[in-house]
Amino acid sequence: MLTATPTLASERLVERLATAKHVVVLTGAGVSAESGVPTFRGGGSTAVWRGLPFEVISSAGMLARDLPGVWEWFNFRRERLASVQPNRAHKVIAAWQERFADFTLVTQNIDNLHQQAGSRAVIELHGNIWRARCFDCETRHELRELRMAHDVPVCIDCGGNMRPDVVLFGEMLPPGAFERAAAAASHCELCFVVGTSAVVYPAASIPEIARAAGAYVVEVNPERTPLSDLCDEVLTGKAGEVLPLL
Ligand code: APR
C-alpha cells in the first residue's frame, strides 16, 4: 500500500541525475525499515535489551564488563536479520553503481542488506553484524567461519577472543572508513542522504562536506531531520517508494 504520493524530483534534480558523474549516497537505518528492520530512533523510543537501553548494551563499557552478554545481544539481532531481505531501496541503490561513473555508497547500517542487494565496495562506517574481530590480532572473520567457546567466538589465527566487528558507542570508526567517505563527498556533484536521523557524527557530517564542496544534496526521509534545512532538496517519503521514481 503506497502512503501519500512521495514528493517527485524537481527539474534541477532531474538535470543533476542526468549529468552527475560523481555521486555519493549515505544511508541509515531507515533504508532497511521497509525490510522489517527496526530503526533506532523515530517514534520517540529506543531499543531496550534485558532492561538495558540500546546505548548501554551496545557500548565499549559493556564489552569490557560482559563480552558474552554483548554477544547474546548481537546474536539476537542477527537471528532477527537472518530472514530479512533487501527492499526496493537497496536494489535501486545497487543499480546506481552502474548508472553513475563514480559512485560511492556509505552506510551506517551493519545489516549487510546493501551487499545482499548487489552493492560492492560499500563503505561501512559502523561495521558489519556478520563479522567478528579478534581482540588480540585484530583479524576480521566472517562469523560462519568461527567456532564458539564459552559463548564467545575464538580467533582461528591466534586463538584469542573475538568481538562483534561493529562500532559500539564510545568507539572510533574503522580506520580509513570515514576518510574515504569524506574524500568522496568532497568531490561529488550529487549527494543523497537516505533514511538517517542525521544525529550521529561523524556520519552526519558527510552531506555537510558534500554541500560545502558545492554538491547538490538531497534528503529522502518520511520525516524532517536536523539536516533538512541544509539540503537543496527534500523528498518526503519512504526510500522504497521514492528512489524507484528517480
Ligand atoms: N525510508 C526512509 N527513511 C525512513 C524510513 C523509510 N522507509 N523509515 C524511517 N525512516 C527514517 C526515520 O524518519 C529516521 O529519520 O530513518 C531515520 C532512522 O533514524 P535512526 O533510527 O536514528 O537511524 P540512523 O540515523 O541510521 O542512526 C545512526 O545511530 O544508533 C546508532 O549506530 C547506530 O548506525 C546507527 C546510528
Side-chain angles (χ1 to χ4, degrees):
M1 177 195 67
L2 263 185
T3 56
T5 309
T7 313
L8 292 180
S10 70
E11 277 177 28
R12 285 175 66 196
L13 177 51
V14 170
E15 190 267 331
R16 285 276 175 149
L17 283 164
T19 58
K21 293 196 175 21
H22 307 279
V23 176
V24 169
V25 172
L26 171 71
T27 65
V31 81
S32 296
E34 292 154 87
S35 294
V37 183
T39 59
F40 300 98
R41 301 167 192 86
S45 68
T46 60
V48 173
W49 167 259
R50 303 261 157 98
L52 288 171
F54 168 72
E55 286 81 3
V56 174
I57 185 69
S58 285
S59 69
M62 195 69 190
L63 198 63
R65 283 196 304 279
D66 182 7
L67 179 58
V70 170
W71 272 113
E72 235 184 301
W73 159 239
F74 280 96
N75 295 346
F76 167 76
R77 292 178 65 187
R78 245 192 346 275
E79 276 150 31
R80 291 174 66 176
L81 277 176
S83 57
V84 165
Q85 296 300 318
N87 63 57
R88 281 193 299 172
H90 296 111
K91 292 172 183 159
V92 167
I93 292 169
W96 284 7
Q97 61 195 349
E98 317 302 337
R99 179 175 177 178
F100 300 106
D102 175 1
F103 180 76
T104 303
L105 173 57
V106 184
T107 190
Q108 298 168 83
N109 300 345
I110 63 173
D111 58 27
N112 205 53
L113 290 175
H114 281 301
Q115 293 89 336
Q116 284 167 235
S119 286
R120 301 182 300 272
V122 180
I123 299 180
E124 298 173 314
L125 292 179
H126 297 159
N128 189 304
I129 200 169
W130 299 96
R131 279 196 315 261
R133 189 167 84 243
C134 179
F135 277 107
D136 303 336
C137 69
E138 288 281 316
T139 309
R140 288 179 164 82
H141 286 289
E142 300 297 324
L143 274 162
R144 61 174 180 273
E145 300 166 3
L146 301 170
R147 65 178 175 81
M148 305 293 278
H150 314 300
D151 301 329
V152 170
V154 174
C155 180
I156 45 185
D157 293 1
C158 77
N161 277 340
M162 304 285 281
R163 49 151 299 156
D165 189 25
V166 168
V167 176
L168 303 175
F169 285 97
E171 294 189 322
M172 304 289 286
L173 271 55
F178 179 75
E179 292 73 11
R180 282 188 290 126
S186 66
H187 74 265
C188 71
E189 298 123 355
L190 186 53
C191 175
F192 283 89
V193 190
V194 183
T196 181
S197 57
V199 296
V200 172
Y201 281 76
S205 70
I206 297 293
E208 295 169 353
I209 294 167
R211 190 72 174 62
Y216 194 78
V217 179
V218 182
E219 182 175 57
V220 179
N221 197 314
E223 294 174 12
R224 289 189 70 78
T225 73
L227 197 69
S228 305
D229 291 340
L230 175 132
C231 292
D232 297 286
E233 191 156 339
V234 173
L235 301 178
T236 305
K238 295 181 175 183
E241 294 173 5
V242 169
L243 295 184
L245 301 173
L246 302 179

